[in-house]
Amino acid sequence: MPADENRPDLTDLDEGTPHGGGGSHPAIAPGPGPRALAAREVLRDVPRVPGAPKPDPVLVADGVVRRFGGLTAVDVQHVEFQRGAITALIGPNGAGKTTFFNLLTGFDRPDEGSWTFEGRSLARVPAHRVARRGMVRTFQLTKALSRLTVIENMRLGATGQVGERLLSAMFRRVWRGQEDSNTRRADELLRRFKLDAKREDFAGSLSGGQRKLLEMARALMTEPRLVMLDEPMAGVNPALTQSLLGHVKDLREQGMTVVFVEHDMDMVRDISDWVVVMAQGTVVAEGPPDAVMADPAVIDAYLGGHHDAPLTEEDEAEQIAAAEAELEREHDQEVGR
Amino acid sequence: MDWSSILGNTARAAIGLETVIYALAAIGLNVQFGYAGLLNFGQAAFVAVGAYGIAVTVTVLGLPFWLGVVVGLVAAVLLAVLLGIPTLRLRADYLAIATIAAAEIVRLTVRSATLRDQTGGSSGLSGFAEGFYDLSPFTPGQSYGFGPWVFGARLAWILLVGWVLVAVCCLVVFLLMRSPWGRVLKGIREDEDAVRSLGKNVYAYKMQALVIGGVIGALAGFVFGVGRASVQPDLYGTELTFFVYTVLLLGGAARVLGPVVGAAIFWVALVLIENVLVQAVGAGYVPDWLMSSTQVGQVRFMLVGLALMLLMIFRPQGIFGDRRELAIDAR
């Protein structure tokens, strides 16, 4: 939707956010907030090995395996996610990140394995119950509910609504109060995400970046304690990236835990406290962003191991020599005939 | 050509028995397809279940009329649950396949020779409607109404009850769809995974929508069976379902009054074209080599089809639809 990105109304969305000078909100304040410092402090002494135990894990997965026919898409031995931190889940295409996400949030069922959220098992718990327990997710391909207005999208996010039960739905008196308070909360979030001007528009008329913002704001309506973001930056106009980053950091400042899948390494370095690297379905490395990105195992995972590794000069000379010898041999055979 | 007869018939069609039946069936389908996005291609089965519920209970079991209504409603709920359990967890197209097959199974079962004693086979059942007409406040032999809308006592009674049912169903749909419950349904139509990720039990909502739509379809069956005072299996074929879809799209899906307006337009168009053609052939305006009076029945459907195509081209959102929504859909 490149045409949409150029729409003039996008400008009021970006105003003030990219350089952190604009608002009074903590999301926009420059530098790491108190919770970011705390999270990094806590994670400093965690060993940098796959499956490392965390001081206060909120989400723990054990032996989670998912096979599609003969292909093992996910085979995670053990991984823990620290409460109150932003953890990035990175890895090359096809590493199983999104599949792992789907398994953890109940959108797919693993062949084996168990995992707990806040100490309670989530194995075989359906997706909607996972969300009700306080673990909400967003999707790689944004799922704005196109033919609902922005505010209706937001209201839908609120949990425990009396008016969503069939028998009480027909009687407005029963749910009106709750609806009003949900609407107030929704309006507050829309202001924070600078979508309040779009309140009555159909969600389908928003630009790609605005949909990402709406999806995140809508997820927050469920009052989650753990937010799982699947590629929050995919398809987002660079001008909106900073604003989105600010919002993600803001979640941590409000005491939420964030786990996100991302390809953009600058973003990973910028906002994550901890990075878990997946390749071919398994966790191959974890640690703080800078340490992980220097890890040879991670570079191998991204560049496809030794097969495509850049040649050293000696190797190159050797290979050229071998090729020339081969050519010469062929030439000799031709002549000899 | 007798224009007063043509216009009179057309005016009566606007609120006639067929309009009531199709309006009710389409209101039910609107809950399923218009709001929840469920592809129910078996609405004819729900209509049949309602009609046969009364017919079998009264004629075969000899039970009172009101019990037949209860049987029809319970059967519609059971049919919806039976169809929903295996298909609602799967992709949308599975429901479409299962419902179209189920509708044919229902029709072929009630017309089978083996069940002739229970359902009357291919000739159906009759003589079950008197319990309903006994309740009528209108005097037999008298006419009721005003202007062109004058009906005999029996028709006036079933039309009165039918339109009350339409009004009640529209009110229920209106109340449900402005509520948070209706919002969840519309969300499911847009993207059920998104709704699931927000903690809603999508499966339960889809089941509720299927049951409510099916029960309203059974109400259409009551009016259909009682209005004709008979049931015949071949009236509940797949074309009934497709006409109901036509009516719904004509009026505008996901609009409370869309099905009612759609049904009225559909039958007004059909009756008007039929009457004009019959009179034109009779008066010799249409040459014999082009069309005979026996071919009018087929030709009217061709012309209605043409009119519908034009409507969908120039007003694809239906009469009540919102063009803004359609523009989004096309992305």
Side-chain angles (χ1 to χ4, degrees), chain B residues 47-69 118-120 123-135 154 158 221-232 235-236:
Chain B
V47 179
V49 156
Y52 271 89
I54 293 183
V56 173
T57 309
V58 176
T59 49
V60 179
L61 304 177
L63 295 170
F65 174 80
W66 63 268
L67 216 57
V69 174
Q118 284 77 42
T119 58
S123 52
L125 294 168
S126 58
F128 53 84
E130 291 318 306
F132 172 78
Y133 289 109
D134 288 346
L135 300 171
R154 283 171 71 95
I158 183 74
F222 296 156
V223 178
F224 203 172
V226 171
R228 299 174 59 96
S230 67
V231 287
Q232 273 138 0
L235 295 176
Y236 304 92

Coordinates of all heavy atoms in Angstrom, one line a residue, chain B residues 47-69 118-120 123-135 154 158 221-232 235-236:
Chain B
V47 N -35.6 -24.2 6.8 CA -37.0 -23.9 6.5 C -37.8 -25.2 6.4 O -38.9 -25.3 7.0 CB -37.0 -23.2 5.1 CG1 -38.5 -22.9 4.7 CG2 -36.2 -21.9 5.2
A48 N -37.2 -26.2 5.8 CA -37.9 -27.5 5.7 C -38.2 -28.1 7.1 O -39.2 -28.7 7.3 CB -37.1 -28.5 4.8
V49 N -37.1 -28.1 7.9 CA -37.3 -28.6 9.3 C -38.4 -28.0 10.0 O -39.2 -28.6 10.7 CB -35.9 -28.5 10.0 CG1 -36.1 -28.5 11.5 CG2 -35.0 -29.6 9.6
G50 N -38.6 -26.6 9.9 CA -39.7 -25.9 10.5 C -41.0 -26.4 10.0 O -41.9 -26.7 10.7
A51 N -41.1 -26.4 8.6 CA -42.4 -26.8 8.0 C -42.8 -28.3 8.3 O -43.9 -28.5 8.8 CB -42.3 -26.6 6.5
Y52 N -41.8 -29.2 8.2 CA -42.1 -30.6 8.4 C -42.3 -30.8 9.9 O -43.0 -31.8 10.3 CB -41.0 -31.5 7.9 CG -41.2 -31.9 6.4 CD1 -40.8 -31.1 5.4 CD2 -42.0 -33.0 6.1 CE1 -41.1 -31.4 4.1 CE2 -42.2 -33.4 4.8 CZ -41.8 -32.6 3.8 OH -42.0 -32.9 2.5
G53 N -41.7 -30.0 10.8 CA -41.9 -30.2 12.2 C -43.3 -30.1 12.6 O -43.9 -31.0 13.3
I54 N -44.0 -29.1 12.0 CA -45.4 -28.9 12.3 C -46.2 -30.0 11.6 O -47.0 -30.7 12.2 CB -46.0 -27.6 11.8 CG1 -45.4 -26.4 12.6 CG2 -47.5 -27.5 11.9 CD1 -45.9 -25.1 12.2
A55 N -45.9 -30.2 10.3 CA -46.7 -31.2 9.5 C -46.7 -32.6 10.1 O -47.7 -33.2 10.3 CB -46.2 -31.2 8.1
V56 N -45.5 -33.1 10.4 CA -45.4 -34.4 10.9 C -46.0 -34.5 12.3 O -46.8 -35.5 12.6 CB -43.9 -34.9 11.0 CG1 -43.8 -36.2 11.6 CG2 -43.4 -34.9 9.5
T57 N -45.8 -33.6 13.2 CA -46.3 -33.6 14.5 C -47.8 -33.7 14.5 O -48.5 -34.4 15.3 CB -45.8 -32.4 15.3 OG1 -44.4 -32.3 15.2 CG2 -46.2 -32.5 16.8
V58 N -48.4 -32.8 13.7 CA -49.9 -32.7 13.7 C -50.5 -33.9 12.9 O -51.4 -34.6 13.4 CB -50.4 -31.4 13.1 CG1 -51.9 -31.3 13.0 CG2 -49.8 -30.2 13.9
T59 N -50.1 -34.1 11.7 CA -50.8 -35.1 10.8 C -50.5 -36.6 11.2 O -51.3 -37.4 11.3 CB -50.5 -35.0 9.3 OG1 -49.1 -34.9 9.2 CG2 -51.2 -33.8 8.8
V60 N -49.2 -36.8 11.5 CA -48.8 -38.2 11.7 C -48.9 -38.6 13.2 O -49.5 -39.7 13.5 CB -47.3 -38.4 11.3 CG1 -46.9 -39.9 11.5 CG2 -47.2 -38.1 9.8
L61 N -48.5 -37.7 14.1 CA -48.5 -38.0 15.5 C -49.8 -37.6 16.1 O -50.1 -38.0 17.3 CB -47.3 -37.4 16.2 CG -45.9 -37.7 15.7 CD1 -44.9 -36.9 16.4 CD2 -45.7 -39.2 15.8
G62 N -50.6 -36.8 15.5 CA -51.9 -36.3 16.0 C -51.8 -35.4 17.2 O -52.7 -35.4 18.0
L63 N -50.7 -34.8 17.3 CA -50.5 -33.9 18.5 C -51.0 -32.4 18.1 O -51.1 -32.1 17.0 CB -49.0 -33.9 18.9 CG -48.5 -35.2 19.4 CD1 -47.0 -35.2 19.5 CD2 -49.2 -35.6 20.7
P64 N -51.2 -31.6 19.1 CA -51.7 -30.2 18.8 C -50.7 -29.4 18.1 O -49.5 -29.7 18.1 CB -52.0 -29.7 20.2 CG -51.3 -30.5 21.2 CD -51.1 -31.9 20.6
F65 N -51.2 -28.3 17.5 CA -50.5 -27.5 16.6 C -49.2 -26.8 17.3 O -48.1 -26.8 16.8 CB -51.4 -26.4 16.0 CG -50.7 -25.3 15.3 CD1 -50.3 -25.6 13.9 CD2 -50.3 -24.1 15.8 CE1 -49.7 -24.6 13.2 CE2 -49.7 -23.1 15.1 CZ -49.4 -23.4 13.8
W66 N -49.5 -26.3 18.5 CA -48.4 -25.6 19.2 C -47.2 -26.5 19.5 O -46.1 -26.1 19.5 CB -48.9 -24.9 20.5 CG -49.4 -25.9 21.5 CD1 -50.7 -26.3 21.7 CD2 -48.6 -26.5 22.5 NE1 -50.8 -27.2 22.7 CE2 -49.5 -27.3 23.3 CE3 -47.3 -26.5 22.9 CZ2 -49.1 -28.1 24.3 CZ3 -46.8 -27.3 23.9 CH2 -47.7 -28.1 24.7
L67 N -47.5 -27.8 19.7 CA -46.4 -28.7 19.9 C -45.6 -28.9 18.7 O -44.4 -29.1 18.7 CB -47.0 -30.1 20.4 CG -46.2 -30.8 21.4 CD1 -46.0 -30.0 22.7 CD2 -46.9 -32.2 21.8
G68 N -46.3 -28.8 17.5 CA -45.6 -28.9 16.2 C -44.6 -27.8 16.1 O -43.5 -27.9 15.6
V69 N -45.0 -26.6 16.6 CA -44.1 -25.4 16.5 C -42.8 -25.7 17.4 O -41.7 -25.5 17.0 CB -44.8 -24.1 17.0 CG1 -43.8 -23.0 17.1 CG2 -45.9 -23.8 16.1
Q118 N -44.5 -41.5 7.2 CA -44.1 -40.5 8.2 C -44.1 -39.1 7.6 O -44.5 -38.1 8.2 CB -42.7 -40.7 8.8 CG -42.7 -41.9 9.8 CD -42.8 -43.2 9.2 OE1 -42.1 -43.5 8.2 NE2 -43.6 -44.1 9.8
T119 N -43.6 -38.9 6.3 CA -43.4 -37.6 5.8 C -44.1 -37.4 4.4 O -44.1 -36.4 3.8 CB -41.9 -37.3 5.5 OG1 -41.4 -38.3 4.7 CG2 -41.1 -37.3 6.8
G120 N -44.8 -38.4 4.0 CA -45.7 -38.3 2.8 C -44.9 -38.4 1.5 O -45.6 -38.2 0.4
S123 N -45.1 -36.5 -2.5 CA -46.3 -35.6 -2.5 C -46.5 -34.8 -1.2 O -47.3 -33.9 -1.2 CB -47.6 -36.4 -2.8 OG -47.7 -37.5 -1.9
G124 N -45.7 -35.1 -0.2 CA -45.8 -34.3 1.0 C -47.0 -34.6 1.9 O -47.6 -35.6 1.8
L125 N -47.2 -33.6 2.8 CA -48.3 -33.8 3.8 C -49.2 -32.6 3.7 O -48.8 -31.5 3.3 CB -47.7 -33.8 5.2 CG -46.9 -35.1 5.5 CD1 -46.2 -34.8 6.9 CD2 -47.7 -36.3 5.6
S126 N -50.4 -32.7 4.1 CA -51.3 -31.6 4.2 C -52.3 -31.8 5.3 O -52.4 -32.9 5.9 CB -52.1 -31.3 2.9 OG -52.8 -32.5 2.5
G127 N -53.2 -30.8 5.6 CA -54.2 -31.0 6.6 C -53.7 -30.8 8.0 O -54.2 -31.4 9.0
F128 N -52.6 -30.1 8.2 CA -52.1 -29.9 9.6 C -52.3 -28.4 10.0 O -51.9 -28.1 11.1 CB -50.6 -30.2 9.6 CG -49.8 -29.5 8.5 CD1 -49.3 -28.2 8.7 CD2 -49.5 -30.1 7.3 CE1 -48.6 -27.6 7.8 CE2 -48.8 -29.4 6.3 CZ -48.4 -28.2 6.5
A129 N -52.8 -27.6 9.1 CA -52.8 -26.1 9.4 C -54.0 -25.7 10.1 O -54.1 -24.5 10.6 CB -52.6 -25.3 8.1
E130 N -55.1 -26.5 10.2 CA -56.3 -26.1 10.8 C -56.2 -25.6 12.2 O -56.9 -24.6 12.6 CB -57.4 -27.2 10.7 CG -57.8 -27.4 9.2 CD -58.0 -26.2 8.4 OE1 -58.7 -25.3 8.8 OE2 -57.3 -26.1 7.3
G131 N -55.3 -26.2 13.0 CA -55.1 -25.8 14.3 C -54.7 -24.3 14.4 O -55.1 -23.6 15.3
F132 N -53.9 -23.9 13.4 CA -53.5 -22.5 13.3 C -54.7 -21.6 12.9 O -54.9 -20.5 13.5 CB -52.4 -22.4 12.3 CG -52.0 -20.9 12.0 CD1 -51.2 -20.2 12.9 CD2 -52.4 -20.3 10.8 CE1 -50.8 -18.9 12.6 CE2 -52.0 -19.0 10.6 CZ -51.3 -18.3 11.5
Y133 N -55.4 -22.0 11.9 CA -56.5 -21.1 11.4 C -57.7 -21.1 12.4 O -58.5 -20.1 12.4 CB -57.0 -21.6 10.0 CG -55.9 -21.3 9.0 CD1 -55.2 -22.3 8.4 CD2 -55.6 -20.0 8.6 CE1 -54.2 -22.0 7.4 CE2 -54.6 -19.7 7.7 CZ -53.9 -20.7 7.1 OH -52.9 -20.4 6.2
D134 N -57.8 -22.1 13.3 CA -58.8 -22.0 14.3 C -58.6 -20.9 15.3 O -59.5 -20.4 15.9 CB -58.8 -23.3 15.1 CG -59.4 -24.5 14.3 OD1 -60.0 -24.2 13.2 OD2 -59.3 -25.7 14.6
L135 N -57.3 -20.5 15.4 CA -57.0 -19.4 16.3 C -57.3 -18.0 15.7 O -57.2 -17.0 16.3 CB -55.5 -19.4 16.6 CG -55.0 -20.7 17.3 CD1 -53.5 -20.7 17.4 CD2 -55.6 -20.8 18.7
R154 N -58.3 -16.3 5.7 CA -57.1 -17.2 6.0 C -55.8 -16.5 5.7 O -54.9 -16.5 6.5 CB -57.3 -18.5 5.2 CG -58.3 -19.4 5.8 CD -58.5 -20.6 4.8 NE -57.4 -21.5 4.8 CZ -57.4 -22.6 5.5 NH1 -58.3 -22.9 6.4 NH2 -56.3 -23.4 5.4
I158 N -52.6 -15.4 8.3 CA -51.2 -15.9 8.2 C -50.3 -14.7 7.9 O -49.2 -14.6 8.4 CB -51.0 -17.0 7.2 CG1 -49.6 -17.6 7.2 CG2 -51.4 -16.6 5.8 CD1 -49.2 -18.4 8.4
G221 N -40.2 -21.5 7.7 CA -40.8 -22.8 7.4 C -42.2 -22.9 7.9 O -43.1 -23.4 7.2
F222 N -42.5 -22.4 9.1 CA -43.8 -22.4 9.7 C -44.8 -21.7 8.8 O -45.9 -22.1 8.4 CB -43.9 -21.8 11.1 CG -43.1 -22.5 12.1 CD1 -42.6 -21.8 13.2 CD2 -42.8 -23.8 12.0 CE1 -41.9 -22.5 14.2 CE2 -42.1 -24.5 13.0 CZ -41.6 -23.8 14.1
V223 N -44.4 -20.4 8.4 CA -45.2 -19.6 7.5 C -45.4 -20.3 6.2 O -46.5 -20.3 5.6 CB -44.6 -18.2 7.4 CG1 -45.5 -17.4 6.4 CG2 -44.5 -17.5 8.7
F224 N -44.3 -20.9 5.7 CA -44.4 -21.6 4.4 C -45.4 -22.7 4.4 O -46.3 -22.8 3.6 CB -43.0 -22.1 4.0 CG -42.7 -22.4 2.6 CD1 -41.5 -22.7 2.1 CD2 -43.8 -22.3 1.6 CE1 -41.2 -22.9 0.8 CE2 -43.5 -22.5 0.3 CZ -42.3 -22.8 -0.2
G225 N -45.2 -23.6 5.4 CA -46.1 -24.8 5.5 C -47.5 -24.4 5.8 O -48.5 -24.9 5.1
V226 N -47.7 -23.6 6.8 CA -49.1 -23.2 7.2 C -49.8 -22.4 6.2 O -50.9 -22.5 5.9 CB -49.0 -22.5 8.6 CG1 -50.4 -21.9 8.9 CG2 -48.6 -23.4 9.7
G227 N -49.0 -21.5 5.5 CA -49.6 -20.6 4.5 C -50.1 -21.4 3.3 O -51.2 -21.0 2.8
R228 N -49.4 -22.4 2.9 CA -49.9 -23.2 1.8 C -50.8 -24.4 2.3 O -51.3 -25.1 1.5 CB -48.7 -23.8 1.1 CG -47.8 -22.8 0.5 CD -46.5 -23.4 -0.1 NE -46.9 -24.4 -1.2 CZ -46.9 -24.1 -2.5 NH1 -46.6 -22.9 -2.9 NH2 -47.3 -25.0 -3.3
A229 N -50.8 -24.6 3.6 CA -51.6 -25.7 4.3 C -51.1 -27.0 3.8 O -51.8 -28.0 3.9 CB -53.1 -25.6 4.0
S230 N -49.8 -27.1 3.3 CA -49.2 -28.3 2.9 C -47.7 -28.2 2.8 O -47.2 -27.1 2.8 CB -49.8 -28.8 1.5 OG -49.3 -27.9 0.5
V231 N -47.0 -29.3 2.8 CA -45.6 -29.3 2.6 C -45.2 -30.3 1.5 O -45.8 -31.4 1.4 CB -44.8 -29.7 3.9 CG1 -44.8 -28.6 4.9 CG2 -45.3 -31.0 4.5
Q232 N -44.4 -29.8 0.6 CA -43.9 -30.7 -0.5 C -42.4 -30.6 -0.5 O -41.8 -29.5 -0.5 CB -44.5 -30.2 -1.8 CG -45.8 -30.8 -2.1 CD -46.8 -29.8 -2.7 OE1 -46.4 -28.6 -2.9 NE2 -48.0 -30.2 -2.9
L235 N -40.1 -28.2 -2.8 CA -40.1 -26.8 -2.6 C -38.9 -26.3 -1.7 O -38.7 -25.1 -1.6 CB -41.4 -26.3 -1.9 CG -42.7 -26.5 -2.8 CD1 -43.9 -26.1 -2.0 CD2 -42.6 -25.7 -4.1
Y236 N -38.2 -27.3 -1.1 CA -37.2 -27.0 -0.2 C -35.8 -27.4 -0.8 O -34.9 -27.9 -0.1 CB -37.4 -27.7 1.2 CG -38.7 -27.3 1.8 CD1 -39.9 -28.1 1.5 CD2 -38.9 -26.1 2.5 CE1 -41.1 -27.7 2.0 CE2 -40.1 -25.8 3.0 CZ -41.2 -26.6 2.8 OH -42.4 -26.2 3.3

